[in-house]
Amino acid sequence: MNTLLIQTLRLGLICFLLQLPGLALAQESFPEEIQKIHYEASIDKTQQPALFYKPEGNGPFPLLVILHSWSGNWLQTSNIPLMKHAIEKKWIMVHPDFRGANRNPKAGGSKYAVQDVIDSVKYAKTQAPVDSSKVYLVGVSGGGHMALQMAGLAPDLWSRVSAWVPISDMTRWYHETKKAGIKYTKEIVACCGGIPGASEAVDREYRYRSPLTHLKAAKGIPIDIQAGITDGHTGSVPIRHTLLAFNELAEDKDRLSLKLIEEFTEIPKVPISLLKPDLPSDDYGYGKKKPLFRRESGNVRVTIFDGGHEILHAAALEWLSRSSKESKPKKSSPKSTWTQWRGPQGSGFSPTANPPVTWSENKNIRWKTPIPGRGHSSPVIWDNLLFITTAVPHGPQLPPVPVTAPGAHDNVDVTQRHQFRVLALNRDTGDSVWNKQVHETLPHEGGHYTGSLASGSPVVDKDRVYAFFGSHGLYALNHKGDLVWKRNLGKQHSKHAHGEGSSPALKDGLIVVNWDHEGQSFVEAMHSHNGKTKWKKPRDEPTSWSSPIIIEYQGKKQVVVNGTNKVRGYDFDNGDVLWSCGGLSANVVATPIFNKGVIYSGSSYNIRAFLAIKLDGAKGDITTSPNVLWRRSQRTPYVPSPLLYGDALYFMRHYQAVLCRVNTDTGLEPTGPFRLRGVRNIYASPVGASGRIYITDTEGKTIVLTAGPSPQTLALNHLDDSFSASAAIIDNEMFLRGLRFVYCIAEE
C-alpha cells in the first residue's frame, strides 16, 4: 500500500469516527423507553450490562439484537436509529456489551463474548414474550464481525442476520492494519494474545475469532452482508472480508474467484466481468449510495454499495423486516436411506450402493463440512438429509469432575460444560440445514480418551430423527429440527468410567435402548411418536456398549441384545425374555447380526468368544443346547462389529488390522486371517457393497478390498482426519464422519 493510500486511509478513518454519534463529541440521548440492565453471564457468573427495551402487550414480539462496533460498547449511540425502529415497530431490543471495546482477551469474538450475546437473548426471553421465528441480529464493523461470528457459532438462534462492513478473517486483518499503520493492530494482538504465528495457542485464537472458521454452519440462515466500495481505502476493513464471507456461505457456482476479489478490493471499482446493468437503482434505504454489485446464493446475499465503512440503517432494517424464511432442504427425487449405523439390513452391507474405490483430500471429495465439538456417532440418512450428533464443550475451565469409579484409568477429565447437539446437513452439498442444541450440562463422566460424549448413533424414519446421548437424554426431532419429545432415562455409571456408546434400534413405531452399566441395567422400548414407555425390563448385566437389534423370525419380532452374562431375545410386544444364551466376554461392545434365522454374537476382552445361535425352537436358557450351531474362541471382534457379506462374516481381530473371514454355516475360517498393510487400530465397523469391503482406521486411512475367500487390496486411501465412526454407504456415495469433518466421497 503506497504512502498516499495510507494517508487516505487514516484521514478516512478519522472522518468516519467523527461521523459516529457514539464516538463523536456531541452525543444523541437514548430514547427514554430504553432501560439500562444487567444480566448474568453463564460463562463466568459476572454481571454484564446491556440496553433493553420491551413493548407493552401480550406479544409475542420480534427480538432485535444490536451489536456495537469494534471500539464501541453497550452505550454506543450510533445504534440509536436501530433502537428507535424497535420502539416504533414494537420489537423487543437488546444491545449487549459482550466485553466492551475489543482491546482485551475476553472481547474480540472470544468464547466469552459469544456466550454473552447468547445470554442476552436468553435474558430477553425471560423478560418478554419473544417470537422465536423473528429473532434478528445486526451489527456494523466490529459488530458486523460479531454478527457473522454468532451466525456460525449459534445458528439456531437467528431468523435473519445483517452484517455491515464485517471483519471475517482476523489474521488477514492483522496484516492489513499493520501495513496501513492504524491503531487496530495493537488491539487485535491484545485480543488474540500475540501476533499471528507466535504460538499454536495464539493461532488458535485467531482462527476461533475469525468468522470464516465457523460460517459453514450458518448456511441455513438468511444472511445479508454489505460493504461500501471504498472501505479499506477510506475505512478500516477492506471489502475482501465481505466477499470472502459471501464465498463461505454461497454455493460453488456463485462464488467469486480470489483473483476477482483482489481486483475488487485493490481498486474501488466493480470489475467489468461483474457489472450488471439491471441492478435496482432505487433500493429502499440506500438513497444516493446505490448498490453497485449484488449477488445472491441460497440464503446469503452480498451487496457492495457506493459508500464506505458504514451501515445504512434503513436498508438493514428493510432486510431484517422481510418475512422469515425457513431453511428448507433441497427437494429431489426420493433417494435411498441409511436409517441406522449398520445400514438398512443391520449388517454393514448395502445391496444397492456403489461408492468410489479411490479418494484423497484432492480427489473424489464432493464436500467436506467441519463439525463442532467431538463425537463418534455415525451418520444416518433420510432422502436428502444427513444427521449426526456431537457434544460441544463451552464455558470456562472448571476443576475436574471427581472420578469415583473403581479401576478408572485412561479417562478424559471433565473440565467444561457441554452442549449436546443434533445436526442436519444437506446430503448433496454438506450445507448446514439446522443445528439444534437439545441439552446442556456438566457431564459426570468424561469417558475413555478414545471415546466421546456423543458416541451413540441416531436412528431416523420418515417423520423424525432420534438422538441418544445416554445419560444426557433421548431426543426426537422432526426433519425441520423441531424438538418433538425428550426422555431422561437416568444416569449411567460405566465400568472404569469409560463412558457410554450404545445406539438405539427402531422399528414399527418402537424405539429400543440398551442401558447396561454398573447400576441396575435394563432394556426399554418406547413409542416413537411420543417417547412413552411400552415396556421396560431389568437386565442382570454389567456395563456393555453393544446396541440392540430388532429382527423378525417366523412372523414374530424380537429385540436381541448382547451381554456379558447372556445374549437375550425379548418379545417385541411385551419385553418378555424368549431365550438366553451365555458365553460372551466382559466389556461387550460389538453388536449382533441376524441372518436366515441365526444370530451371530461376538466379543473379545478377558476371553475370546463368538456364537452362532439358531432361533428355530429357541426357548429359555439355550447355552448348552443344539441351538448353538458353533462357537469360536480365537480371533473375535471387540470394538468394530462384524460385516455380513454373502455367506461370510468379516471382522477384525479385537480392533487390530487383522481381518478374519468366517463361514456363517460352520464358523470355520478356511482362508486367512489377513493382515491389512497400511492401516492400524480400527474402531469403525467395516462396510461392504459392489463386491468390495471398506475398512477405516483411526488415522484417516481406508483400505478397500475385494469381497471373497482371499480379499485383495484395491486401494489405500487417506484423509486428514481421525475416524472412529462407521461409514454410511448409499447410492454412489460414502459418508465418513471424522473428529473434525464429515466427508461425502463420490466420483467426480
Side-chain angles (χ1 to χ4, degrees):
M1 191 179 290
N2 59 39
T3 304
L4 178 60
L5 184 56
I6 293 174
Q7 291 174 346
T8 303
L9 178 61
R10 287 173 171 161
L11 178 60
L13 177 61
I14 292 169
C15 293
F16 166 69
L17 292 176
L18 291 175
Q19 291 171 0
L20 282 180
L23 302 175
L25 294 176
Q27 294 190 354
E28 186 178 357
S29 298
F30 294 112
E32 62 181 11
E33 296 92 339
I34 301 292
Q35 305 173 44
K36 294 180 179 179
I37 60 94
H38 286 78
Y39 61 91
E40 184 176 88
S42 62
I43 197 168
D44 61 2
K45 306 305 180 185
T46 58
Q47 292 294 308
Q48 292 299 314
L51 297 176
F52 181 68
Y53 165 75
K54 63 177 180 179
E56 295 182 358
N58 296 326
F61 304 106
L63 169 62
L64 179 63
V65 180
I66 306 170
L67 304 178
H68 63 70
S69 67
W70 181 270
S71 301
N73 60 27
W74 66 294
L75 295 175
Q76 185 171 329
T77 56
S78 60
N79 286 326
I80 285 178
L82 299 171
M83 301 177 193
K84 288 182 175 179
H85 178 88
I87 295 170
E88 177 187 347
K89 297 296 183 181
K90 288 194 170 184
W91 289 6
I92 303 162
M93 186 281 303
V94 65
H95 187 262
D97 191 51
F98 55 100
R99 308 293 161 146
N102 295 320
R103 302 181 185 122
N104 69 84
K106 291 186 177 180
S110 73
K111 294 179 180 180
Y112 290 85
V114 168
Q115 190 59 46
D116 284 357
V117 176
I118 294 172
D119 289 341
S120 75
V121 174
K122 292 180 179 178
Y123 172 85
K125 289 182 175 181
T126 65
Q127 300 299 310
V130 172
D131 183 345
S132 295
S133 69
K134 297 179 180 178
V135 179
Y136 306 132
L137 180 66
V138 62
V140 58
S141 186
H145 160 257
M146 196 63 182
L148 294 182
Q149 186 82 333
M150 296 306 306
L153 288 169
D156 52 329
L157 274 185
W158 316 111
S159 306
R160 301 181 82 83
V161 175
S162 182
W164 291 72
V165 293
I167 302 118
S168 62
D169 184 329
M170 291 288 277
T171 301
R172 190 183 296 269
W173 198 46
Y174 167 85
H175 291 295
E176 291 163 347
T177 59
K178 184 177 181 182
K179 190 173 183 180
I182 56 179
K183 68 170 186 175
Y184 298 110
T185 310
K186 291 183 179 179
E187 296 177 354
I188 297 167
V189 170
C191 288
C192 296
I195 66 172
S199 68
E200 176 56 33
V202 169
D203 286 346
R204 279 199 302 270
E205 290 297 325
Y206 276 89
R207 287 193 298 271
Y208 179 82
R209 296 163 189 258
S210 296
L212 290 182
T213 303
H214 316 290
L215 269 179
K216 279 191 182 296
K219 286 190 173 183
I221 315 168
I223 298 180
D224 190 34
I225 313 173
Q226 306 244 9
I229 197 166
T230 63
D231 201 3
H233 298 273
T234 61
S236 55
V237 184
I239 64 170
R240 65 168 60 89
H241 287 267
T242 289
L243 299 173
L244 288 171
F246 169 79
N247 269 8
E248 199 67 21
L249 292 163
E251 297 178 8
D252 289 345
K253 63 182 179 62
D254 299 320
R255 293 174 180 166
L256 300 173
S257 70
L258 295 180
K259 181 179 179 181
L260 269 178
I261 289 176
E262 289 308 306
E263 180 183 345
F264 212 157
T265 301
E266 292 302 320
I267 302 172
K269 183 178 179 181
V270 181
I272 294 175
S273 62
L274 296 179
L275 285 172
K276 283 191 175 182
D278 57 347
L279 268 179
S281 59
D282 59 347
D283 261 17
Y284 177 78
Y286 288 86
K288 295 181 179 180
K289 298 185 177 184
K290 62 181 181 179
L292 303 174
F293 167 77
R294 174 170 290 161
R295 182 167 289 186
E296 296 187 47
S297 179
N299 283 323
V300 63
R301 183 182 81 165
V302 65
T303 303
I304 305 299
F305 59 90
D306 190 7
H309 190 78
E310 59 190 313
I311 181 174
L312 306 179
H313 295 112
L317 291 166
E318 187 277 331
W319 164 264
L320 294 173
S321 298
R322 294 181 181 185
S323 297
S324 297
K325 181 170 71 174
E326 184 181 71
S327 174
K328 296 180 180 179
K330 177 180 174 184
K331 292 295 182 184
S332 62
S333 58
K335 295 184 177 181
S336 304
T337 60
W338 189 270
T339 59
Q340 56 184 337
W341 74 286
R342 298 303 284 137
Q345 298 184 355
S347 63
F349 171 72
S350 170
T352 59
N354 184 25
V357 175
T358 60
W359 61 84
S360 69
E361 288 285 344
N362 301 310
K363 178 183 178 182
N364 287 341
I365 302 297
R366 176 174 294 167
W367 51 260
K368 172 184 175 181
T369 297
I371 300 300
R374 180 182 175 94
H376 293 333
S377 63
S378 301
V380 294
I381 298 164
W382 189 276
D383 195 20
N384 210 51
L385 290 176
L386 178 148
F387 303 96
I388 57 168
T389 61
T390 187
V392 183
H394 79 106
Q397 293 289 320
L398 303 170
V401 173
V403 179
T404 59
H409 62 279
D410 294 335
N411 292 333
V412 176
D413 286 337
V414 177
T415 59
Q416 284 180 285
R417 296 179 67 82
H418 280 68
Q419 298 172 344
F420 294 85
R421 291 185 168 271
V422 186
L423 285 67
L425 305 182
N426 184 297
R427 173 183 162 183
D428 290 336
T429 65
D431 296 343
S432 174
V433 178
W434 48 263
N435 179 335
K436 180 77 171 182
Q437 178 181 320
V438 293
H439 187 56
E440 177 188 329
T441 192
L442 181 67
H444 66 287
E445 291 180 352
H448 194 265
Y449 74 91
T450 60
S452 78
L453 292 169
S455 291
S457 300
V459 289
V460 62
D461 60 22
K462 66 181 181 63
D463 298 312
R464 291 171 287 273
V465 59
Y466 307 86
F468 185 45
F469 294 100
S471 295
H472 310 296
L474 173 64
Y475 304 88
L477 301 94
N478 63 26
H479 289 193
K480 293 181 179 180
D482 302 318
L483 183 64
V484 179
W485 56 261
K486 62 182 179 179
R487 285 286 307 272
N488 178 355
L489 301 179
K491 184 181 290 186
Q492 285 194 27
H493 297 280
S494 60
K495 183 177 180 180
H496 304 324
H498 276 350
E500 306 165 25
S502 179
S503 302
L506 175 68
K507 191 176 182 66
D508 293 346
L510 279 190
I511 184 166
V512 179
V513 299
N514 176 33
W515 192 273
D516 286 349
H517 70 134
E518 299 307 287
Q520 177 58 65
S521 299
F522 60 84
V523 57
E524 183 169 354
M526 291 156 276
H527 295 286
S528 62
H529 69 282
N530 61 14
K532 293 184 178 180
T533 300
K534 180 177 175 65
W535 53 261
K536 179 179 178 180
K537 298 293 181 178
R539 282 169 56 81
D540 178 20
E541 293 291 344
T543 300
S544 77
W545 293 265
S546 183
S547 301
I549 62 172
I550 301 173
I551 59 123
E552 186 167 348
Y553 179 65
Q554 295 181 343
K556 189 171 180 62
K557 299 183 192 68
Q558 300 184 24
V559 175
V560 179
V561 190
N562 276 351
T564 294
N565 295 328
K566 296 286 181 67
V567 183
R568 295 175 181 85
Y570 297 87
D571 189 294
F572 180 78
D573 294 321
N574 56 34
D576 290 346
V577 176
L578 301 174
W579 56 266
S580 63
C581 183
L584 296 186
S585 70
N587 289 21
V588 175
V589 180
T591 293
I593 284 178
F594 172 71
N595 184 51
K596 297 179 180 178
V598 179
I599 297 291
Y600 301 95
S601 294
S603 65
S604 174
Y605 191 67
N606 56 320
I607 62 171
R608 311 289 182 260
F610 209 143
L611 312 174
I613 303 167
K614 183 177 68 172
L615 293 185
D616 188 23
K619 187 177 181 180
D621 188 344
I622 59 172
T623 304
T624 59
S625 79
N627 284 89
V628 180
L629 297 179
W630 51 259
R631 297 176 182 264
R632 281 177 60 88
S633 58
Q634 60 178 344
R635 293 191 299 277
T636 58
Y638 178 29
V639 178
S641 295
L643 162 70
L644 174 67
Y645 203 144
D647 61 355
L649 292 163
Y650 296 83
F651 52 91
M652 316 315 300
R653 184 190 72 185
H654 209 63
Y655 57 74
Q656 283 84 33
V658 175
L659 178 66
C660 303
R661 182 183 183 275
V662 169
N663 183 281
T664 54
D665 292 334
T666 65
L668 299 178
E669 193 175 2
T671 58
F674 307 95
R675 185 167 295 279
L676 304 181
R677 305 294 179 184
V679 294
R680 298 184 66 186
N681 291 342
I682 297 159
Y683 292 162
S685 298
V687 294
S690 295
R692 301 184 292 270
I693 297 169
Y694 297 78
I695 299 170
T696 302
D697 77 359
T698 59
E699 297 181 357
K701 298 183 180 68
T702 299
I703 189 169
V704 185
L705 307 161
T706 59
S710 299
Q712 302 297 309
T713 300
L714 298 174
L716 181 63
N717 306 300
H718 182 256
L719 296 174
D720 297 334
D721 208 340
S722 174
F723 299 93
S724 294
S726 301
I729 49 175
I730 186 169
D731 296 334
N732 297 318
E733 303 152 340
M734 170 180 281
F735 297 91
L736 282 175
R737 188 264 177 86
L739 276 182
R740 297 181 295 131
F741 301 98
V742 175
Y743 291 81
C744 175
I745 300 166
E747 291 284 353
E748 295 175 337

